[in-house]
């Protein structure tokens, strides 16, 4: 009887030990897990882009389900990109499991749960699902004011204010300063705050700042290289569908106008990926990709802190417009070329 009890006790202790070991390994090794399920989507794929580091992963969907795992040291903001240009932010934290459930025909109603950050974003998305854009922007500002210590606020600042067709930079700077004070250890936010300061100083007028960079073909490009009647610097990335649309528009304009110069800055982590897209679309103008992403000194010099971004200058190197939408950019280019 005693022997049986000892054997039973040993088995229980072994089970507890292995369970605790499994729990420790699976929950405290810095691993982030995203598990999702979508209705009306049997098989397919989409991109999961790292907003802070400029990298992306391809997620495969089978039978409407997918699983994504990776080891993390810090909190990351990931953006899920769909073929219809929709995006869903996911806030990835070490030792966290997140679940996503939705319908591909109603992406705004997707729920992402498993952490305070993702719960907050889901609540915001649900609340604003049926609102018109101006009201969504008001809700975003209210959220930022109420939650300055949340990484969700940093995403909302980029999404609804920096990417606005007519950015209010003084307001953006004010909100970014409040976020920076509440999140002093957030390095991506620190860089954004610094770039915004430079952007406010040379926002949309005056001479183009002096710069020098090496293109992906090894050529030296400077501000003096942009001396045609109209000149455009455009920031883009393979994960930004909107910025790729700007590239295609500029390509068509260059076919029509030989006195238009274009220089692009690619924010992909790997130059090879951007070059592949440029070659596919037969785009031959100088392209810069130093693999430093948002830490690139060139972005700081030019005051570029979001995507898509553009700077239009005249023949004398003076800034005519900055960060305008594609329609406005085309109109402003044609005005310069008509002079």
């Amino acid at each position: 009887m005693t022997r049986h009890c000892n054997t039973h006790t040993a088995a229980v202790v072994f089970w507890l030990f292995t369970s605790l070991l499994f729990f420790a390994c699976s929950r405290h090794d810095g691993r982030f897990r995203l598990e999702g399920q979508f209705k009306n989507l049997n098989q397919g794929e989409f991109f999961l882009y790292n907003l802070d580091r400029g990298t992306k992963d391809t997620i495969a969907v089978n039978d409407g389900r997918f699983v994504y795992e990776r080891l993390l040291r810090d909190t990351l903001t990931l953006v899920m990109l769909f073929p219809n240009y929709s995006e869903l932010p996911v806030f990835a934290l070490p030792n966290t499991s997140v679940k996503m459930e939705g319908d591909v025909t109603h992406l705004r109603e997707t729920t992402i749960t498993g952490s305070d950050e993702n719960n907050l974003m889901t609540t915001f998305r649900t609340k604003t699902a049926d609102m018109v854009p101006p009201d969504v922007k008001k809700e975003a500002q209210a959220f930022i004011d109420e939650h300055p210590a949340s990484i969700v606020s940093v995403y909302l600042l980029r999404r609804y204010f920096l990417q606005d067709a007519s950015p209010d930079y003084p307001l953006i700077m004010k909100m970014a300063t409040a976020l920076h004070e509440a999140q002093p250890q957030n390095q991506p936010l620190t860089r954004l705050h610094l770039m915004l300061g430079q952007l406010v100083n040379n926002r949309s007028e005056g001479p183009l700042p002096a710069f020098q960079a090496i293109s992906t073909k090894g050529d030296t490009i400077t501000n003096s290289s942009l001396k045609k009647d109209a000149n455009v610097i455009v920031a883009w990335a393979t994960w930004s569908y909107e910025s790729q649309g700007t590239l295609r528009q500029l390509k068509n304009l260059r076919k029509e106008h030989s006195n238009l110069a274009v220089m692009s800055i690619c924010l992909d982590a790997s130059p090879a990926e951007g070059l592949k897209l440029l070659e596919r679309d037969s785009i031959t103008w100088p392209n810069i990709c130093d693999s430093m992403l948002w830490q690139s000194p060139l972005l700081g010099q030019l005051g570029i802190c979001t995507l898509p971004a553009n700077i239009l200058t005249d023949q004398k190197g003076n800034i005519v417009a900055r960060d305008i939408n594609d329609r406005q950019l085309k109109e402003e280019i044609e005005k310069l070329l008509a002079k």
Side-chain angles (χ1 to χ4, degrees):
M1 179 70 176
T2 302
R3 182 179 180 182
H4 174 74
C5 290
N6 290 340
T7 301
H8 177 71
T9 300
V12 171
V13 170
F14 177 78
W15 179 82
L16 286 172
F17 175 76
T18 54
S19 297
L20 288 172
L21 181 63
F22 174 78
F23 178 81
C25 293
S26 61
R27 298 292 298 232
H28 298 283
D29 62 351
R31 187 172 296 277
F32 168 74
R33 177 183 175 90
L34 173 62
E35 183 177 352
Q37 180 177 4
F38 281 107
K39 296 179 181 179
N40 295 310
L41 177 63
N42 184 30
Q43 291 185 330
E45 64 179 29
F46 46 81
F47 294 128
L48 192 62
Y49 163 65
N50 184 329
L51 194 59
D52 302 319
R53 300 178 182 174
T55 57
K56 67 179 179 181
D57 294 315
T58 301
I59 307 299
V61 179
N62 294 300
D63 296 326
R65 300 175 182 271
F66 69 89
V67 174
Y68 171 81
E69 287 189 330
R70 63 175 295 172
L71 293 175
L72 296 180
R73 292 184 179 180
D74 304 305
T75 299
L76 298 178
T77 300
L78 307 177
V79 174
M80 191 171 291
L81 300 174
F82 295 85
N84 65 351
Y85 308 118
S86 298
E87 68 175 50
L88 290 174
V90 180
F91 303 99
L93 293 79
N95 308 312
T96 303
S97 295
V98 171
K99 289 188 177 181
M100 176 182 293
E101 294 183 332
D103 187 325
V104 292
T105 61
H106 299 88
L107 287 174
R108 289 186 180 182
E109 300 174 7
T110 301
T111 61
I112 305 175
T113 57
S115 70
D116 291 342
E117 292 78 5
N118 288 294
N119 293 340
L120 280 171
M121 188 66 216
T122 293
T123 300
F124 175 85
R125 190 188 310 106
T126 302
K127 183 178 181 180
T128 60
D130 297 323
M131 291 184 180
V132 295
D135 290 339
V136 176
K137 191 173 180 179
K138 289 180 182 178
E139 286 294 329
Q141 184 172 353
F143 183 100
I144 293 169
D145 291 341
E146 185 178 352
H147 304 279
S150 173
I151 58 172
V152 179
S153 293
V154 182
Y155 170 79
L156 295 178
L157 180 67
R158 286 186 179 274
R159 175 65 181 82
Y160 292 104
F161 294 90
L162 275 170
Q163 296 179 12
D164 189 75
S166 300
D168 184 343
Y169 289 110
L171 173 62
I172 293 170
M173 187 62 182
K174 179 181 178 181
M175 289 190 290
T177 299
L179 296 184
H180 181 54
E181 291 174 352
Q183 305 178 50
Q185 303 303 317
N186 186 329
Q187 292 303 312
L189 177 58
T190 298
R191 291 192 296 271
L192 174 62
H193 186 255
L194 177 62
M195 289 180 181
L196 278 169
Q198 296 169 321
L199 177 59
V200 169
N201 290 334
N202 52 24
R203 182 164 71 253
S204 59
E205 57 186 16
L208 181 70
F211 69 87
Q212 178 174 307
I214 305 299
S215 75
T216 48
K217 293 184 178 180
D219 299 322
T220 299
I221 309 298
T222 70
N223 52 302
S224 299
S225 305
L226 303 172
K227 291 298 183 182
K228 292 199 174 183
D229 293 343
N231 310 272
V232 180
I233 297 175
V234 57
W236 71 287
T238 59
W239 42 264
S240 172
Y241 297 125
E242 189 174 356
S243 68
Q244 291 173 42
T246 303
L247 293 184
R248 287 188 285 271
Q249 174 176 271
L250 289 171
K251 175 189 171 183
N252 292 333
L253 285 171
R254 282 192 77 213
K255 285 182 179 179
E256 301 173 14
H257 307 283
S258 60
N259 51 344
L260 167 64
V262 180
M263 183 193 90
S264 57
I265 304 173
C266 179
L267 291 182
D268 280 291
S270 169
E273 193 162 10
L275 278 174
K276 183 178 179 181
L277 186 144
L278 294 177
E279 291 173 354
R280 184 197 69 190
D281 290 350
S282 301
I283 293 175
T284 59
W285 59 61
N287 180 65
I288 313 297
C289 184
D290 59 14
S291 300
M292 296 181 70
L293 309 173
W294 293 110
Q295 300 182 56
S296 172
L298 182 60
L299 298 185
Q301 288 175 283
L302 298 176
I304 294 173
C305 52
T306 189
L307 284 184
N310 56 70
I311 303 173
L312 174 64
T313 67
D314 61 17
Q315 190 179 44
K316 295 181 180 180
N318 293 316
I319 297 174
V320 175
R322 176 192 285 272
D323 297 336
I324 51 181
N325 62 40
D326 286 351
R327 178 186 58 79
Q328 294 170 324
L329 181 59
K330 183 175 184 294
E331 291 175 352
E332 293 298 326
I333 289 173
E334 290 177 341
K335 286 180 183 179
L336 283 176
L337 297 177
K339 291 182 178 180

